[in-house]
């Protein structure tokens, strides 16, 4: 722990930073999974999804930066390498063999929802530890990514309708 004049109790800062370092691994994994989807998606709604996935990747990258910098503000070291993320991430491994847009929508919406659940839990937990600033940051991140989850899941519905039209 580095010395800081931040007034939050040192034990609490350490707890919050540990939680944030775990979330940082999840976020770095989510960023690479989103790019994986952006690069490999094919089929129905290709261009809309290709572009949407890139927008989400940029938003997740911003979240990565916010989370990592908050760890350092709290007096700890941000653990932000790909190797740490690969070891620690709680996201499911992204399926590498898929190309169909519906499968990417399904896989990526699962990944975003997993991340959002972890970030949302942190809003209450860090608030309870007396760190309203981290809670606010996590609220901001979750607000944005809940919206992106809605966008991704909307495509799932559209594709289901198209499949029903074809079948019927
Ligand atoms: Fe690109």
């Amino acid at each position: 722990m580095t010395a800081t004049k931040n007034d939050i109790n040192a034990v609490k800062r350490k707890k919050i930073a540990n939680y944030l370092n775990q979330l940082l691994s999840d976020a770095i994994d989510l960023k690479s999974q989103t790019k994986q989807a952006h690069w490999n998606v094919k089929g129905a709604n290709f261009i809309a999804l290709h572009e949407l996935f890139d927008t989400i990747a940029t938003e997740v990258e911003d979240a990565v930066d916010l989370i990592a910098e908050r760890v350092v503000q709290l007096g700890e070291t941000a653990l932000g390498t790909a190797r740490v993320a690969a070891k620690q991430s709680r996201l499911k491994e992204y399926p590498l063999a898929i190309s169909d847009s519906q499968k990417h929508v399904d896989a990526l919406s699962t990944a975003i929802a997993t991340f959002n659940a972890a970030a949302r839990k942190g809003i209450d937990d860090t608030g309870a530890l007396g760190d309203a600033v981290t809670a606010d940051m996590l609220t901001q991140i979750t607000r944005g990514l809940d919206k992106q989850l809605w966008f991704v899941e909307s495509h799932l519905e559209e594709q289901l309708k198209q499949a029903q039209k074809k079948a019927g």
Side-chain angles (χ1 to χ4, degrees):
M1 186 170 266
T2 18
T4 168
K5 290 171 184 162
N6 186 304
D7 61 294
I8 300 171
N9 166 288
V11 175
K12 289 181 178 173
R13 275 194 281 116
K14 173 101 185 145
K15 268 191 195 168
I16 297 161
N18 286 346
Y19 158 77
L20 288 176
N21 263 329
Q22 172 61 67
L23 195 67
L24 181 60
S25 283
D26 300 340
I28 290 167
D29 194 13
L30 181 60
K31 160 81 194 299
S32 71
Q33 294 199 9
T34 309
K35 277 292 193 181
Q36 176 72 15
H38 164 70
W39 294 320
N40 291 293
V41 66
K42 288 185 173 64
N45 299 313
F46 163 73
I47 198 67
L49 286 170
H50 177 68
E51 287 174 358
L52 173 61
F53 294 162
D54 213 25
T55 303
I56 297 172
T58 303
E59 189 163 325
V60 176
E61 180 64 36
D62 290 346
V64 164
D65 212 45
L66 284 172
I67 296 164
E69 289 177 1
R70 187 67 189 153
V71 171
V72 182
Q73 288 161 30
L74 292 168
E76 292 293 326
T77 302
L79 307 175
T81 64
R83 290 181 194 207
V84 171
K87 215 184 280 175
Q88 289 202 149
S89 173
R90 292 168 292 190
L91 270 55
K92 278 203 316 198
E93 180 67 81
Y94 198 82
L96 298 177
I98 58 172
S99 65
D100 177 71
S101 56
Q102 194 166 339
K103 286 187 177 145
H104 277 293
V105 163
D106 183 44
L108 193 63
S109 58
T110 298
I112 296 170
T114 303
F115 176 83
N116 287 4
R120 198 186 321 282
K121 187 174 182 317
I123 297 170
D124 288 339
D125 291 355
T126 60
L129 286 165
D131 186 359
V133 174
T134 296
D136 179 65
M137 179 191 82
L138 294 170
T139 304
Q140 177 195 334
I141 290 169
T142 312
R143 183 194 302 124
L145 288 176
D146 267 357
K147 188 172 177 183
Q148 299 298 357
L149 177 63
W150 167 43
F151 286 173
V152 174
E153 286 184 323
S154 298
H155 282 274
L156 196 57
E157 193 164 314
E158 197 179 312
Q159 285 172 32
L160 285 173
K161 272 188 209 153
Q162 281 176 2
Q164 278 167 355
K165 240 192 233 168
K166 257 190 207 168

